[in-house]
Amino acid sequence: MSEVRTRDKILKIERRLLRALCGGAASRSERLGILRRLAAYHWRHPEHQVVFEVLHKLKNASPETVRANLAAELTRKGFPDLDVAVYVVSGETPEEDWLGLVQLLVNSERVAP
């Protein structure tokens, strides 16, 4: 049961970070730090991995450009049916310690496969 809750928590953190990257909640420097630190991270959800790969590709783009191009980039990668609305919510994600959340994910890899 604890493993399920831990996995759910990790998936929620992954989603929050991806939304921050897409929606512009993280500053440019935070965004670049998140992308750099998670470049080698093993994403627990395959959809999150694909979205991250696109975001990494668009790392120098503005949040507006990311939101405008996310669906097209996912389609080019072979994932036309992903619901990008989950990630491109602008202004909804409150300011957080994004790098602290990144550290939680990185640490989670040390204890769980």
Side-chain angles (χ1 to χ4, degrees):
M1 190 74 153
S2 176
E3 285 182 42
V4 171
R5 273 187 262 150
T6 300
R7 179 171 166 74
D8 287 345
K9 182 178 178 180
I10 290 169
L11 292 176
K12 286 178 184 178
I13 292 170
E14 287 183 355
R15 192 175 314 109
R16 280 191 0 219
L17 284 166
L18 292 171
R19 290 177 78 173
L21 293 170
C22 290
S27 71
R28 177 169 169 65
S29 63
E30 288 173 321
R31 185 172 194 259
L32 293 174
I34 292 167
L35 291 168
R36 185 180 68 254
R37 299 247 351 254
L38 292 178
Y41 173 71
H42 174 76
W43 294 83
R44 299 310 201 285
H45 196 292
E47 179 177 310
H48 295 171
Q49 176 69 46
V50 173
V51 172
F52 180 81
E53 289 170 6
V54 168
L55 293 172
H56 198 271
K57 177 182 175 185
L58 299 172
K59 67 182 166 195
N60 293 314
S62 70
E64 295 80 15
T65 301
V66 169
R67 288 191 299 270
N69 291 290
L70 184 61
E73 291 292 333
L74 288 168
T75 297
R76 279 192 271 288
K77 286 187 71 67
F79 297 88
D81 298 328
L82 290 185
D83 182 10
V84 297
V86 171
Y87 303 103
V88 298
V89 178
S90 178
E92 182 185 299
T93 308
E95 193 170 315
E96 291 196 42
D97 176 12
W98 302 116
L99 295 178
L101 291 176
V102 168
Q103 191 60 47
L104 287 173
L105 290 183
V106 170
N107 290 345
S108 76
E109 286 193 303
R110 295 182 185 142
V111 292

